[in-house]
Amino acid sequence: NKGVSMDRPAWAPEGVDMQQASPARMYDALLGGSHNFEIDRRAAEMGKALVPDLPRLALSNRAFLRRAVRFLADSGIRQFLDVGSGIPTAGNVHEVVQGIDPDIRVLYADIDPVAVAHSRAILRGNSRAGAIEADLRKPAELLDRAGETGLIDFDQPVGLLLVAVLHLLSDEDEPVKKVADLRAALEPGSYVAISHLTSEMRPEDAGKLGANASDKSRVGIHFRNREGIVAMFDGWDLIEPGVVELPVWRPESERDRHEAPGRSLGLAGVGRKA
Ligand code: SAM
């Protein structure tokens, strides 16, 4: 049982490396979740020591996700493919959209086995939602696997969610091309929602957090400038208000203002395939 500690919790699939921080579990720790290990909590603490308002960024991102999926459901989208969906936490996509229309289908895809296992656990009994382990860096495989679940019909418009995941891809992973590959598989009338960590407003803080992860208690985050993030929407028609700071994308109430405008560490937008 290589790499598996005796005290592996029941929710962690066998073979998970408990000594290596993972972005999914570190984000769960930042949001106050309970599906994370000591090394992930240490990664979250290190991040907070560098940038104390980091938990607000996580909340701000979750609030954008909720607003974006509500917007897509209200725009007629009846199936969602959530790539880099993470460890389920309050206000998951299926909860939000199936609250609008219980027939809406949701497929979660993540590279992290803890995220997939926990997603499957909470989706038990929900025939219109599922979770697959898949890698955004291999879009063709991801699309095949998504099709096999029967939850996504690629002949109908899809709501593609790439929320807080593309900054985990390095430039060598060609994130812009990966988005384009996914877009090519989708019908006109499909939408994409993207949020991405940015160096645009707070270059110094982005620099502190964005260092390469050579240490096991760090995760590699690639903060990008506005231009790099706008490029991900190539081929999509941007929905108003365009690519903007997280709290500024169609805020619904004061409660959405987790970060002060001008100070957000994330940019976000929604695009439609014409
Ligand atoms: N989308 C959720 C949200 O915004 O609240 C979770 C975001 S979490 C910060 C990023 C997720 O992307 C993690 O669960 C991580 O495992 C996943 N991820 C990282 N690289 C990935 C890849 N190459 N393919 C699929 N998922 C990936």
Side-chain angles (χ1 to χ4, degrees):
N1 68 349
K2 224 181 349 149
V4 180
S5 154
M6 289 302 282
D7 52 2
R8 176 173 59 84
W11 48 260
E14 246 178 79
V16 169
D17 184 353
M18 293 176 59
Q19 308 306 323
Q20 167 70 60
S22 101
R25 289 183 269 114
M26 176 196 164
Y27 182 70
D28 181 64
L30 275 178
L31 285 166
S34 54
H35 292 79
N36 47 71
F37 303 139
E38 176 60 35
I39 192 91
D40 307 306
R41 293 189 284 278
R42 208 186 308 157
E45 286 308 321
M46 276 170 54
K48 277 196 279 185
L50 294 168
V51 176
D53 56 349
L54 204 54
R56 300 182 72 82
L57 167 65
L59 292 171
S60 184
N61 180 66
R62 290 297 295 181
F64 162 73
L65 171 67
R66 286 193 290 272
R67 299 195 302 279
V69 296
R70 257 199 305 270
F71 172 82
L72 299 193
D74 289 345
S75 304
I77 291 295
R78 285 298 170 267
Q79 46 177 1
F80 287 81
L81 176 57
D82 184 355
V83 179
S85 48
I87 292 168
T89 180
N92 287 300
V93 173
H94 71 283
E95 292 162 347
V96 175
V97 299
Q98 291 182 344
I100 295 171
D101 176 350
D103 285 338
I104 294 181
R105 299 183 309 280
V106 178
L107 182 62
Y108 294 112
D110 203 286
I111 200 171
D112 187 302
V114 170
V116 177
H118 190 42
S119 301
R120 288 193 176 139
I122 64 156
L123 294 173
R124 232 169 263 144
N126 187 332
S127 61
R128 294 190 180 78
I132 54 170
E133 194 170 319
D135 186 347
L136 170 57
R137 293 167 301 179
K138 298 176 182 161
E141 268 177 41
L142 187 152
L143 290 163
D144 279 350
R145 229 171 273 175
E148 283 163 11
T149 63
L151 283 167
I152 303 291
D153 172 1
F154 286 101
D155 292 331
Q156 297 294 323
V158 171
L160 172 65
L161 310 177
L162 294 167
V163 178
V165 61
L166 287 159
H167 51 238
L168 299 169
L169 270 54
S170 66
D171 289 347
E172 293 72 51
D173 293 329
E174 300 185 289
V176 170
K177 180 168 187 312
K178 299 305 183 283
V179 181
D181 289 350
L182 292 175
R183 186 189 70 240
L186 303 182
E187 282 295 300
S190 294
Y191 286 85
V192 70
I194 294 176
S195 70
H196 195 299
L197 292 185
T198 185
S199 50
E200 195 68 36
M201 273 73 69
R202 294 164 60 180
E204 274 183 28
D205 285 340
K208 286 188 221 164
L209 292 168
N212 278 333
S214 47
D215 165 348
K216 283 188 163 239
S217 62
R218 300 290 298 269
V219 299
I221 304 175
H222 305 273
F223 284 74
R224 293 189 168 93
N225 62 17
R226 168 178 292 277
E227 194 187 349
I229 298 168
V230 168
M232 293 171 181
F233 289 94
D234 278 355
W236 302 88
D237 292 342
L238 270 173
I239 300 295
E240 281 295 311
V243 177
V244 293
E245 291 177 70
L246 285 167
V248 178
W249 195 89
R250 295 179 178 247
E252 288 169 0
S253 72
E254 274 307 305
R255 281 179 46 228
D256 283 341
R257 295 219 181 270
H258 296 287
E259 298 172 293
R263 295 274 304 156
S264 178
L265 283 165
L267 288 174
V270 170
R272 184 177 185 277
K273 182 169 171 172

